[in-house]
Amino acid sequence: MNPSGLSGDQRGGSVDVVKDRNGIDQVLLRSSGGFSARVSLYGGQVRSWMTDRGEELLFTSSKAVFKPPKAVRGGIQIGFPQFGNRGTLEQHGFARNKLWVIEKNPPPFMIRTDSDGKTFIDLLLKPSDEDLKVWPHSFELRLRVCLGANGNLSLIPRVRNMNCKPFSFSFAFHTYFSISDIGEVRIEGLETRDYFDNLCQRERFTDQGNSLTFESEVDRVYLDTSSKVAILDHGKKRTFIIQKEGLPDVVVWNPWERKTKAMADFGDDEYKRTLCVDGALIEKPISLKPGQEWTGRLDILLLYSS
Ligand code: TA6
């Protein structure tokens, strides 16, 4: 199916909708430069992001369960209306486990979208009666997934309060990057920042100032970080540059050996080949008045080194 009219300007790119093995729609974005991305309407999750060389940039576990109601272990999951497991809501909120729809004519954006000449799709999630029972706030959650000709991936989330009273929420793009080996990567851009350590009852620490490397389990929320963070992968000779707006925090997670073995949908050794680095909004939830909208933005750029 080639649903022209689904996305805006495609110039040389294409947008197709295919069914997955559960009969759920997946949107296949292809850029004029030969890059592609696949987005599932289940969870609004980016399931794949592939280069013009056919290299997959996002990790998906070989043990992932491709059957609702659990989110597939990998890709880019949406954490909304919370990230974490506090309160009565399920871990990381319900948005990643709900069926979204394609929105053909989204309302105007309040920020630059920079989508001209790119291939993109707009998705929408509204709460079901079941969602309203666990989180009694009417909202519209929108997501534009945009693929540039050069492969850059942009995610633009929007949350609108459709209630007659204010609500607050947190948000995260829980992103499983595919890496060569956990011993071969480092993160730059988080030096000297404070972080909550989930391995120490969320105690607050200050980063010591070196780039972050990995020798054991890490589960941290870096607070109020700079707008640019880089994941340098020496093994694959490539760097992911993460640029973000409206998403001040960064979650860094690698479960390491013991925790990975405890997860049924994570292959025993796979912690070596993935690293989660999430643009997020956690420490200071956003409060929206009735009718108000919040917009964020995450751009992931790929650079190769020789
Ligand atoms: O900080 C990331 C984190 O919250 C970890 O604590 C870990 O539980 C991970 O997300 C994955 O969560 P999930 O619910 O997808 O198994």
Side-chain angles (χ1 to χ4, degrees):
M1 177 184 172
N2 185 0
S4 56
L6 268 189
S7 83
D9 194 339
Q10 296 171 26
R11 271 178 239 163
S14 64
V15 181
D16 292 286
V17 178
V18 294
K19 296 270 179 215
D20 72 8
R21 64 186 80 177
N22 298 303
I24 296 170
D25 284 346
Q26 287 200 349
V27 182
L28 185 58
L29 305 175
R30 288 195 194 87
S31 81
S32 56
F35 282 73
S36 65
R38 198 157 31 83
V39 190
S40 175
L41 294 202
Y42 192 74
Q45 184 178 5
V46 180
R47 291 273 179 87
S48 163
W49 176 31
M50 220 176 242
T51 70
D52 52 347
R53 311 172 187 184
E55 232 183 318
E56 178 55 66
L57 302 171
L58 298 175
F59 166 84
T60 301
S61 172
S62 61
K63 296 274 180 64
V65 179
F66 291 93
K67 203 169 170 48
K70 199 167 166 28
V72 167
R73 175 77 63 196
I76 306 179
Q77 300 178 355
I78 309 290
F80 174 87
Q82 75 170 19
F83 193 73
N85 59 4
R86 285 185 291 170
T88 50
L89 281 174
E90 62 199 81
Q91 158 111 326
H92 302 340
F94 47 73
R96 65 177 176 167
N97 294 321
K98 298 292 167 188
L99 208 49
W100 296 48
V101 295
I102 292 170
E103 189 175 35
K104 289 193 183 168
N105 294 304
F109 285 80
M110 308 299 278
I111 61 158
R112 77 183 167 98
T113 62
D114 190 22
S115 305
D116 282 359
K118 298 180 178 171
T119 310
F120 63 86
I121 191 77
D122 288 296
L123 304 183
L124 169 66
L125 179 70
K126 291 183 185 182
S128 63
D129 291 345
E130 191 188 311
D131 300 333
L132 289 169
K133 279 185 203 149
V134 290
W135 202 66
H137 306 293
S138 192
F139 66 87
E140 288 177 347
L141 169 57
R142 295 190 160 80
L143 177 67
R144 172 166 288 187
V145 180
C146 187
L147 187 66
N150 54 0
N152 294 346
L153 189 65
S154 303
L155 303 172
I156 305 174
R158 294 193 273 172
V159 177
R160 181 173 284 275
N161 184 342
M162 305 302 287
N163 256 345
C164 47
K165 54 183 179 8
F167 67 68
S168 57
F169 66 91
S170 53
F171 188 93
F173 283 117
H174 192 29
T175 308
Y176 289 77
F177 287 94
S178 172
I179 56 169
S180 58
D181 186 283
I182 191 66
E184 293 288 321
V185 298
R186 67 174 202 272
I187 300 179
E188 289 184 356
L190 300 174
E191 300 82 358
T192 72
R193 299 291 164 158
D194 280 9
Y195 63 87
F196 290 136
D197 196 333
N198 285 331
L199 303 179
C200 301
Q201 290 80 46
R202 301 189 82 241
E203 202 180 324
R204 191 171 179 133
F205 296 95
T206 302
D207 189 270
Q208 289 309 301
N210 297 318
S211 60
L212 186 61
T213 54
F214 299 86
E215 291 168 348
S216 59
E217 183 184 358
V218 171
D219 190 348
R220 299 177 181 174
V221 182
Y222 280 84
L223 307 171
D224 200 16
T225 70
S226 71
S227 59
K228 204 193 250 187
V229 172
I231 307 171
L232 291 86
D233 185 337
H234 300 288
K236 290 212 185 259
K237 292 192 174 5
R238 69 185 183 200
T239 298
F240 294 107
I241 309 278
I242 301 167
Q243 291 178 173
K244 52 201 184 57
E245 292 169 32
L247 300 165
D249 307 322
V250 171
V251 178
V252 179
W253 180 55
N254 184 288
W256 218 254
E257 198 170 356
R258 188 179 55 84
K259 285 227 174 116
T260 304
K261 283 189 173 153
M263 284 181 272
D265 63 345
F266 216 139
D268 286 359
D269 274 346
E270 287 180 337
Y271 71 92
K272 295 177 184 165
R273 292 196 286 109
T274 186
L275 178 62
C276 284
V277 182
D278 313 344
L281 166 66
I282 295 174
E283 189 197 15
K284 295 176 184 148
I286 291 285
S287 184
L288 287 180
K289 293 190 186 119
Q292 256 189 336
E293 184 175 273
W294 164 85
T295 310
R297 182 175 174 124
L298 188 85
D299 292 283
I300 315 177
L301 287 56
L302 175 68
L303 300 176
Y304 281 100
S305 52
S306 45

